Amino acid sequence: MSNLFSKFKVCLQLNQKRLKTSGLQKPSWIPFSKAKFGEFIQQKPSLNNAFTDDGFVQRLIRHYLPKNVLTEVTPDLTRFGERIVSEIEDIGRQCELQQPKLYFDDGWGKVETRLWTSSAWKKQKEISAEEGLVAIAYERNFREFSRIYQLMKLYLYIPSSGLYSCPLAMTDGAAKTIEDLQLNESFYKNAYTRLTSRDPNLFWTSGQWMTEKGGGSDVARGTETLAIPEGDKTFRLYGYKWFSSATDSDVTLTLARISDLEGNVLSGTRGLTLFFLKTRENDKLNNIQIVKLKDKLGTRQLPTAELLLDGTLAYK
Ligand SMILES: Cc1cc2nc3c(=O)[nH]c(=O)nc-3n(C[C@H](O)[C@H](O)[C@H](O)COP(=O)(O)OP(=O)(O)OC[C@H]3O[C@@H](n4cnc5c(N)ncnc54)[C@H](O)[C@@H]3O)c2cc1C
């Protein structure tokens, strides 16, 4: 008690002195006397090899992959786990810090819509190709286990990808659609080769533009976009896509209703047709106006936009 009282006395004296003097040395027992924020500092979390350090992944991969496949893929997964720590994690952080921007002129009077994405975001595209994050599933070097190997790499990659996993999922979907529908025309063959390429100079990503203002779940009622026949398999699309992530993608799948020359369309699901299109030709948008970037609560690294399709060339 007397100890407490003497501390209280010192405090009082200190306060009185503080009024008169500056630069006073405080006794060391006073909390927060040495550092502005106190003594306790939280241990910074550290990311170790994303593959070898993850007990869940280690159990999962042993459960699903046969021994010979496991032996073959382990060196690549271990190397990739290390690359995530030493390189990709920081690039993912940069994607979050340098979010996409939309410019409506060139700064010198020329009106043009330009989507800007960071070099970190572009680097994620290169990494995705090099690591075969889509390709592995289509190379099928490990038969049905190729998908597990690919998904394992994606699982390791996603937390550090700066959300590049989103365009990759849509790219995978586009490759699968071309493969399943056995689309053999040269346009599709070329697209398939690029969507599943490991060469960063060849690799393409794909978007999926389904959601319109009427809603995203019920596309049968929501889709207003019209497709006017132009050639045998080519159409011009007119419509407004309400939520397009990965607006920087090279190609996209999208939904529209084929119209006759009087503007008649079939309603409901039966009236929907899936189209495939190139978003740009020599850096020029394919009659697509990027109206605005979505002001989202999260996932702001991802260039998600509202798009006006005004005569966009598309393939059925
Ligand atoms: C970050 C982000 C990125 C996106 N990127 C894309 C993109 O790249 N491309 C794209 O096409 N879309 C994109 N979307 C849109 C997304 O696909 C839609 O939000 C989604 O399809 C749901 O549609 P909605 O938001 O209009 O909700 P609604 O369709 O209005 O649904 C609202 C609620 O009603 C329920 N509901 C709807 N219809 C029915 C029904 N018939 N029966 C019972 N319940 C029903 C739904 O389950 C939901 O709970 C993106 C959305 C976000 C948030």
Side-chain angles (χ1 to χ4, degrees), residues 16 162 196 284 293:
Q16 285 162 356
T196 59
K284 195 174 173 302
L293 286 179

Side-chain angles (χ1 to χ4, degrees), residues 35-243:
K36 197 176 172 192
F37 301 106
E39 300 280 344
F40 176 74
I41 292 169
Q42 179 112 346
Q43 182 85 39
K44 192 177 164 187
S46 64
L47 180 66
N48 300 320
N49 187 309
F51 175 61
T52 56
D53 208 49
D54 188 328
F56 169 70
V57 164
Q58 292 299 321
R59 282 199 304 282
L60 196 77
I61 199 163
R62 275 172 180 70
H63 180 75
Y64 282 109
L65 293 184
K67 267 219 169 89
N68 60 330
V69 177
L70 188 64
T71 310
E72 283 205 57
V73 301
T74 295
D76 182 51
L77 291 171
T78 308
R79 179 202 52 77
F80 187 49
E82 205 48 54
R83 188 178 186 190
I84 287 170
V85 182
S86 61
E87 183 188 354
I88 300 172
E89 170 72 6
D90 186 51
I91 298 171
R93 184 88 190 109
Q94 291 306 318
C95 291
E96 291 186 29
L97 295 173
Q98 300 165 35
Q99 295 169 3
K101 292 184 188 68
L102 195 58
Y103 295 101
F104 294 99
D105 59 50
D106 69 349
W108 295 90
K110 187 178 167 200
V111 177
E112 62 176 12
T113 308
R114 202 160 37 89
L115 174 67
W116 179 90
T117 55
S118 66
S119 54
W121 180 257
K122 293 184 180 93
K123 182 70 185 169
Q124 295 286 16
K125 185 178 183 184
E126 280 178 43
I127 291 168
S128 304
E130 286 163 6
E131 295 292 344
L133 295 179
V134 177
I136 289 171
Y138 298 88
E139 291 164 352
R140 295 192 171 85
N141 290 337
F142 304 99
R143 304 187 325 277
E144 70 270 33
F145 301 110
S146 304
R147 268 284 174 205
I148 297 175
Y149 172 31
Q150 176 216 14
L151 291 175
M152 190 56 66
K153 278 190 101 164
L154 282 169
Y155 173 84
L156 301 176
Y157 176 64
I158 287 169
S160 307
S161 72
L163 220 77
Y164 209 79
S165 47
C166 172
L168 291 184
M170 295 193 284
T171 302
D172 200 340
K176 178 105 178 74
T177 305
I178 294 175
E179 189 183 66
D180 281 2
L181 297 179
Q182 298 176 5
L183 303 170
N184 289 319
E185 290 94 333
S186 61
F187 171 74
Y188 292 112
K189 273 189 166 167
N190 178 41
Y192 180 82
T193 305
R194 287 174 174 272
L195 294 168
T196 59
S197 176
R198 280 181 182 259
D199 180 349
N201 296 317
L202 281 183
F203 183 54
W204 276 357
T205 55
S206 176
Q208 291 185 11
W209 304 344
M210 310 297 159
T211 307
E212 298 194 11
K213 285 185 197 172
S217 310
D218 191 357
V219 287
R221 268 198 278 178
T223 306
E224 294 180 318
T225 299
L226 291 184
I228 311 291
E230 191 180 68
D232 192 16
K233 290 227 161 187
T234 56
F235 291 76
R236 293 281 170 183
L237 305 188
Y238 297 86
Y240 200 88
K241 294 294 173 181
W242 184 241
F243 240 113

